[in-house]
Amino acid sequence: DFRYELDSVYVDTSSSPISADGTQEVNGTFNRPFLYANGFKDKLVVFSKDGQFILQGSPGFSPETASFTLATAYHSNTKADPFILGDKLFFFEKRGDYNRVQELKEVQYAGNYQAFDVSIDVPKLLAGNIQKVVTNGIDKIALFTDDDLSKIHILTIVDNTGGERIIQGWYTHKFDDIEIESISMVENTLYVVGSFEGTHRMLFEMATLNNFDDIFLDNKVNSTKATSIAYDSPSDTTTYTLPFTFSATDWKAVDDASKYEYTISGTTSNTIVVRTDTRAETLNFGMPYESKIEFSKFYPQAKQGTATVISDQLVLDSFNVSFDQVNRQAFDVSAAIDNGKTYLKQYTSNVTDTQNLGAAYNDTDYTEVLVQSRNKDCRLTISNNTYVPFNLINFEYYLSEGSKRR
């Protein structure tokens, strides 16, 4: 005689003793207490430490029609809640010191379930204990762990109308001067509460979708928020007093309209001094940060039943990047050879009307980097440390194959 309760499932027999940890032994096995329950479509998905169960009834839910079945048997993370994103259900699996994100799906036919690891390409990204998970309810998941309270990990998932996955990608945002305490997400805006420079708690706002007319700086604050603005004629400088204190000195000042970068001549604990008279301009102050895409090293996979190509015999000839020429953007493409040279190519779009970006305008929407290195000895990176975004479309690489096989 099985009975279902909110926190456990057990066999109602006097011969089954209850252990000290609240579990019950039945024929030498333990029925673990349930940890979480999520209403998902027309079912209730119940999670224990060692399995995922489906509670449902057909045609209606009643004691006579209720069924309780094991869907999958993954080790659920007992300290991280499952969550729903649109029409998808996810839960966390703990593997040693790392967390994996599993998507629970009904496959092939009704009642047959399978979990798909959406973090399989970043198996060591989510280390430590998960502190908080938030979603925008549509296509983005954000979380942080106690392994590094300066990092937020974001997953974007997009399926087409036929259910085919067209985008699944992780990226990490690291705050060098913030210790994260909590996060929240509204549509495509992420809100972060954290301790700034270890001195005071602040609320930060971060867009998760690019506005290509924006200025990309960390801790960005508009000059209209300054408590005072003073121009000094003899030194030809303008001093802005900000409504908070800081210790960093690597601030930038960028005109909100023209995107021109003004020179900063100095800072104090709460002031930024800009050369020339900028009282009539609206400036954005902030600190530069680097956005980076680092590619895994390229290794071929031979078809089943054929010889495996020795990786030493492959040469990475060139790496090509296609990008959106319409929007303002800048980036660097580098090929770093192990124990050798680094080849760097800089790019700035021809619609970028800015100064001091370090690269001449490029009138094409395609750039090529000649590499000429063994595939296992080269690391390809696309990076950007300017206040201008990048919008990349496609990557291509060309390999030359040697004749030796094993």
Side-chain angles (χ1 to χ4, degrees), residues 5 19 21 25 48 60 98 120 136 142 145 188 198 207 234 247 281 287 316 327 371 396-397:
E5 295 185 355
S19 65
D21 65 354
E25 188 174 2
S48 74
Y98 302 98
I120 192 170
N136 66 351
T145 74
N188 289 306
S247 60
E281 311 299 331
M287 288 173 279
L316 181 59
N327 291 306
V371 182
E396 296 177 348
Y397 60 92

Side-chain angles (χ1 to χ4, degrees), residues 115-179:
F116 296 86
D117 188 352
V118 297
S119 56
I120 192 170
D121 51 340
V122 285
K124 295 186 178 181
L125 178 68
L126 307 178
N129 296 312
I130 295 173
Q131 300 299 290
K132 190 168 185 180
V133 182
V134 297
T135 79
N136 66 351
I138 305 171
D139 59 0
K140 287 183 176 60
I141 303 162
L143 61 92
F144 69 101
T145 74
D146 62 3
D147 179 68
D148 190 340
L149 294 177
S150 67
K151 291 181 178 179
I152 295 178
H153 308 289
I154 298 178
L155 170 65
T156 298
I157 290 179
V158 178
D159 295 345
N160 62 19
T161 55
E164 181 182 4
R165 184 139 304 169
I166 56 177
I167 293 176
Q168 178 179 302
W170 287 90
Y171 69 92
T172 298
H173 193 93
K174 179 175 175 60
F175 301 85
D176 289 330
D177 46 11
I178 301 171
E179 183 174 290

